[in-house]
Amino acid sequence: MTNTVTLNHLGRSVFGGLGNISSGSLRTSLDSTWNNFLSQQQQRTFIQMRTVLKVVDNSGAKKVMCIQALKGKKGARLGDTIVASVKEAHPNGKVKKGEVVYGVVVRAAMQRGRCDGSEVKFDDNAVVLLDKQGQPRGTRVFGPVPHELRKKKHLKILTLAEHIA
Amino acid sequence: MRLEKCWFCSSTIYPGHGIQFVRNDAKIFRFCRSKCHKNFKMKRNPRKVKWTKAYRRLHGKDMTQDSTFEFERKRNRPERYDRNVAENTLKAIKKIDKVRVDREARHHALRMKGKKAKEQREAAKELEQSIHMVKAPAVLQQEPSLTLPKIKVKVSQQQSDENHAMEE
């Protein structure tokens, strides 16, 4: 009598545990899909090889793919220069598709620490194309740009920018 | 150095804390900690989230209009440093804080007022029902001063005899 009672208890607890796990996993998978749908936030990692970035000047390119981050082992961050290949371009622009260009990252989804201890992050990854000397190739820059460009001596971009974050 | 306000919970963000998110339309959202940041990413409306200042102000739980708030408005003009002005400002900040806290306490007291009758009723009921948790019923019967004045009900002698039989 007592043995069956204890077995029943065990069975019920195990089943209850299993039930909990299954319902929990269901909920988490639903939650994750829901969160993915809702948040759709940018991945917050370095800019490395094969990262596609938006071009925010009027040099003619629209999207570039990073080939090399010129400083940093893990990848480029906000304010670093990269070597990139133009993947998508405006039909009549200075820059053509398939060209290898240099660019400076002006917006990065990955947060960058500021010297006062706070952190900044942007909504997307964006570059401004440069020439070999570091001067911008376009004449306008769209969207906000960070202060960090001042330290990296990209003052021309700062003057062209419409908003400095 | 500038003390910002968190976009979500409206608390002050001290230097070295928090994350600043810049949206592509150049609107800057500052968050004091990851709790607020995560709520923002979930696209929650701070006016609907109970613990934020926005909710509390909207639902009248906290003061909305007060002259002490005028002192905290954002000023974009840099002031030339003057030692006396700085000293007086620091003293004033303390005093204004005290005044604001006093007014908020008054607002809260005003909000919580008007429950005396209800509290009395609840206390009486609790005393009646749960006094056995504090003092044993046997002691209460012996010392009549510990109980509330009871209304005397006349019980016939026969009924009391029956009760005694049942208890045994």
PDB file of all heavy atoms in Angstrom, chain A residues 92-108:
ATOM      1  N   ASN A  92      24.974  56.077 -61.628  1.00  0.00           N
ATOM      2  CA  ASN A  92      25.985  57.027 -62.086  1.00  0.00           C
ATOM      3  C   ASN A  92      26.583  57.737 -60.877  1.00  0.00           C
ATOM      4  O   ASN A  92      26.073  58.737 -60.408  1.00  0.00           O
ATOM      5  CB  ASN A  92      25.373  58.041 -63.055  1.00  0.00           C
ATOM      6  CG  ASN A  92      23.970  58.459 -62.590  1.00  0.00           C
ATOM      7  OD1 ASN A  92      23.468  57.951 -61.595  1.00  0.00           O
ATOM      8  ND2 ASN A  92      23.354  59.370 -63.296  1.00  0.00           N
ATOM      9  N   GLY A  93      27.649  57.159 -60.370  1.00  0.00           N
ATOM     10  CA  GLY A  93      28.320  57.724 -59.218  1.00  0.00           C
ATOM     11  C   GLY A  93      29.814  57.644 -59.428  1.00  0.00           C
ATOM     12  O   GLY A  93      30.288  57.033 -60.384  1.00  0.00           O
ATOM     13  N   LYS A  94      30.534  58.247 -58.507  1.00  0.00           N
ATOM     14  CA  LYS A  94      31.989  58.234 -58.639  1.00  0.00           C
ATOM     15  C   LYS A  94      32.529  56.832 -58.398  1.00  0.00           C
ATOM     16  O   LYS A  94      33.573  56.455 -58.908  1.00  0.00           O
ATOM     17  CB  LYS A  94      32.605  59.200 -57.624  1.00  0.00           C
ATOM     18  CG  LYS A  94      32.467  60.660 -58.019  1.00  0.00           C
ATOM     19  CD  LYS A  94      33.095  61.552 -56.990  1.00  0.00           C
ATOM     20  CE  LYS A  94      32.081  61.877 -55.903  1.00  0.00           C
ATOM     21  NZ  LYS A  94      32.622  62.856 -54.924  1.00  0.00           N
ATOM     22  N   VAL A  95      31.830  56.083 -57.595  1.00  0.00           N
ATOM     23  CA  VAL A  95      32.321  54.770 -57.194  1.00  0.00           C
ATOM     24  C   VAL A  95      31.501  53.708 -57.900  1.00  0.00           C
ATOM     25  O   VAL A  95      30.283  53.822 -57.999  1.00  0.00           O
ATOM     26  CB  VAL A  95      32.190  54.603 -55.661  1.00  0.00           C
ATOM     27  CG1 VAL A  95      32.718  53.270 -55.229  1.00  0.00           C
ATOM     28  CG2 VAL A  95      32.928  55.706 -54.950  1.00  0.00           C
ATOM     29  N   LYS A  96      32.160  52.689 -58.390  1.00  0.00           N
ATOM     30  CA  LYS A  96      31.465  51.639 -59.144  1.00  0.00           C
ATOM     31  C   LYS A  96      31.432  50.364 -58.338  1.00  0.00           C
ATOM     32  O   LYS A  96      32.214  50.166 -57.399  1.00  0.00           O
ATOM     33  CB  LYS A  96      32.204  51.367 -60.462  1.00  0.00           C
ATOM     34  CG  LYS A  96      32.247  52.561 -61.370  1.00  0.00           C
ATOM     35  CD  LYS A  96      30.975  52.614 -62.215  1.00  0.00           C
ATOM     36  CE  LYS A  96      30.966  53.834 -63.092  1.00  0.00           C
ATOM     37  NZ  LYS A  96      30.228  54.939 -62.523  1.00  0.00           N
ATOM     38  N   LYS A  97      30.564  49.483 -58.761  1.00  0.00           N
ATOM     39  CA  LYS A  97      30.445  48.203 -58.052  1.00  0.00           C
ATOM     40  C   LYS A  97      31.706  47.389 -58.266  1.00  0.00           C
ATOM     41  O   LYS A  97      32.272  47.355 -59.357  1.00  0.00           O
ATOM     42  CB  LYS A  97      29.227  47.463 -58.616  1.00  0.00           C
ATOM     43  CG  LYS A  97      29.022  46.137 -57.961  1.00  0.00           C
ATOM     44  CD  LYS A  97      27.664  45.569 -58.302  1.00  0.00           C
ATOM     45  CE  LYS A  97      27.702  44.114 -57.955  1.00  0.00           C
ATOM     46  NZ  LYS A  97      27.278  43.106 -58.663  1.00  0.00           N
ATOM     47  N   GLY A  98      32.143  46.712 -57.229  1.00  0.00           N
ATOM     48  CA  GLY A  98      33.323  45.865 -57.338  1.00  0.00           C
ATOM     49  C   GLY A  98      34.613  46.590 -57.040  1.00  0.00           C
ATOM     50  O   GLY A  98      35.679  45.987 -57.055  1.00  0.00           O
ATOM     51  N   GLU A  99      34.512  47.871 -56.720  1.00  0.00           N
ATOM     52  CA  GLU A  99      35.720  48.635 -56.418  1.00  0.00           C
ATOM     53  C   GLU A  99      36.142  48.377 -54.985  1.00  0.00           C
ATOM     54  O   GLU A  99      35.295  48.198 -54.099  1.00  0.00           O
ATOM     55  CB  GLU A  99      35.392  50.121 -56.579  1.00  0.00           C
ATOM     56  CG  GLU A  99      36.445  50.908 -57.292  1.00  0.00           C
ATOM     57  CD  GLU A  99      36.021  52.353 -57.415  1.00  0.00           C
ATOM     58  OE1 GLU A  99      35.131  52.637 -58.240  1.00  0.00           O
ATOM     59  OE2 GLU A  99      36.545  53.181 -56.641  1.00  0.00           O
ATOM     60  N   VAL A 100      37.434  48.399 -54.766  1.00  0.00           N
ATOM     61  CA  VAL A 100      37.961  48.267 -53.399  1.00  0.00           C
ATOM     62  C   VAL A 100      38.190  49.660 -52.861  1.00  0.00           C
ATOM     63  O   VAL A 100      38.901  50.462 -53.462  1.00  0.00           O
ATOM     64  CB  VAL A 100      39.256  47.451 -53.419  1.00  0.00           C
ATOM     65  CG1 VAL A 100      39.913  47.475 -52.041  1.00  0.00           C
ATOM     66  CG2 VAL A 100      38.970  46.025 -53.817  1.00  0.00           C
ATOM     67  N   VAL A 101      37.558  49.951 -51.736  1.00  0.00           N
ATOM     68  CA  VAL A 101      37.611  51.313 -51.189  1.00  0.00           C
ATOM     69  C   VAL A 101      37.997  51.270 -49.716  1.00  0.00           C
ATOM     70  O   VAL A 101      37.914  50.235 -49.061  1.00  0.00           O
ATOM     71  CB  VAL A 101      36.240  52.015 -51.311  1.00  0.00           C
ATOM     72  CG1 VAL A 101      35.906  52.322 -52.746  1.00  0.00           C
ATOM     73  CG2 VAL A 101      35.165  51.176 -50.689  1.00  0.00           C
ATOM     74  N   TYR A 102      38.387  52.424 -49.230  1.00  0.00           N
ATOM     75  CA  TYR A 102      38.618  52.585 -47.799  1.00  0.00           C
ATOM     76  C   TYR A 102      37.425  53.323 -47.213  1.00  0.00           C
ATOM     77  O   TYR A 102      36.795  54.136 -47.894  1.00  0.00           O
ATOM     78  CB  TYR A 102      39.876  53.420 -47.551  1.00  0.00           C
ATOM     79  CG  TYR A 102      41.138  52.653 -47.767  1.00  0.00           C
ATOM     80  CD1 TYR A 102      41.606  52.397 -49.055  1.00  0.00           C
ATOM     81  CD2 TYR A 102      41.883  52.169 -46.690  1.00  0.00           C
ATOM     82  CE1 TYR A 102      42.764  51.685 -49.257  1.00  0.00           C
ATOM     83  CE2 TYR A 102      43.040  51.467 -46.883  1.00  0.00           C
ATOM     84  CZ  TYR A 102      43.479  51.223 -48.172  1.00  0.00           C
ATOM     85  OH  TYR A 102      44.619  50.521 -48.370  1.00  0.00           O
ATOM     86  N   GLY A 103      37.121  53.064 -45.949  1.00  0.00           N
ATOM     87  CA  GLY A 103      36.007  53.765 -45.324  1.00  0.00           C
ATOM     88  C   GLY A 103      36.233  53.888 -43.830  1.00  0.00           C
ATOM     89  O   GLY A 103      37.042  53.157 -43.248  1.00  0.00           O
ATOM     90  N   VAL A 104      35.521  54.822 -43.239  1.00  0.00           N
ATOM     91  CA  VAL A 104      35.570  54.958 -41.780  1.00  0.00           C
ATOM     92  C   VAL A 104      34.189  54.649 -41.230  1.00  0.00           C
ATOM     93  O   VAL A 104      33.175  55.110 -41.781  1.00  0.00           O
ATOM     94  CB  VAL A 104      36.051  56.357 -41.357  1.00  0.00           C
ATOM     95  CG1 VAL A 104      35.109  57.445 -41.849  1.00  0.00           C
ATOM     96  CG2 VAL A 104      36.198  56.430 -39.857  1.00  0.00           C
ATOM     97  N   VAL A 105      34.134  53.879 -40.188  1.00  0.00           N
ATOM     98  CA  VAL A 105      32.865  53.475 -39.591  1.00  0.00           C
ATOM     99  C   VAL A 105      32.309  54.659 -38.810  1.00  0.00           C
ATOM    100  O   VAL A 105      32.938  55.152 -37.863  1.00  0.00           O
ATOM    101  CB  VAL A 105      33.078  52.282 -38.649  1.00  0.00           C
ATOM    102  CG1 VAL A 105      31.757  51.873 -38.033  1.00  0.00           C
ATOM    103  CG2 VAL A 105      33.689  51.115 -39.382  1.00  0.00           C
ATOM    104  N   VAL A 106      31.157  55.139 -39.228  1.00  0.00           N
ATOM    105  CA  VAL A 106      30.575  56.274 -38.503  1.00  0.00           C
ATOM    106  C   VAL A 106      29.401  55.878 -37.622  1.00  0.00           C
ATOM    107  O   VAL A 106      28.991  56.624 -36.757  1.00  0.00           O
ATOM    108  CB  VAL A 106      30.128  57.402 -39.462  1.00  0.00           C
ATOM    109  CG1 VAL A 106      31.322  57.985 -40.161  1.00  0.00           C
ATOM    110  CG2 VAL A 106      29.101  56.921 -40.443  1.00  0.00           C
ATOM    111  N   ARG A 107      28.816  54.732 -37.876  1.00  0.00           N
ATOM    112  CA  ARG A 107      27.777  54.267 -36.966  1.00  0.00           C
ATOM    113  C   ARG A 107      27.977  52.768 -36.790  1.00  0.00           C
ATOM    114  O   ARG A 107      28.156  52.057 -37.748  1.00  0.00           O
ATOM    115  CB  ARG A 107      26.376  54.526 -37.527  1.00  0.00           C
ATOM    116  CG  ARG A 107      26.020  55.973 -37.618  1.00  0.00           C
ATOM    117  CD  ARG A 107      24.537  56.126 -37.585  1.00  0.00           C
ATOM    118  NE  ARG A 107      23.905  55.790 -38.852  1.00  0.00           N
ATOM    119  CZ  ARG A 107      23.727  56.640 -39.854  1.00  0.00           C
ATOM    120  NH1 ARG A 107      24.196  57.864 -39.752  1.00  0.00           N
ATOM    121  NH2 ARG A 107      23.121  56.265 -40.946  1.00  0.00           N
ATOM    122  N   ALA A 108      27.945  52.345 -35.551  1.00  0.00           N
ATOM    123  CA  ALA A 108      28.114  50.919 -35.286  1.00  0.00           C
ATOM    124  C   ALA A 108      27.074  50.486 -34.275  1.00  0.00           C
ATOM    125  O   ALA A 108      26.793  51.200 -33.312  1.00  0.00           O
ATOM    126  CB  ALA A 108      29.516  50.641 -34.760  1.00  0.00           C
TER     127      ALA A 108
END
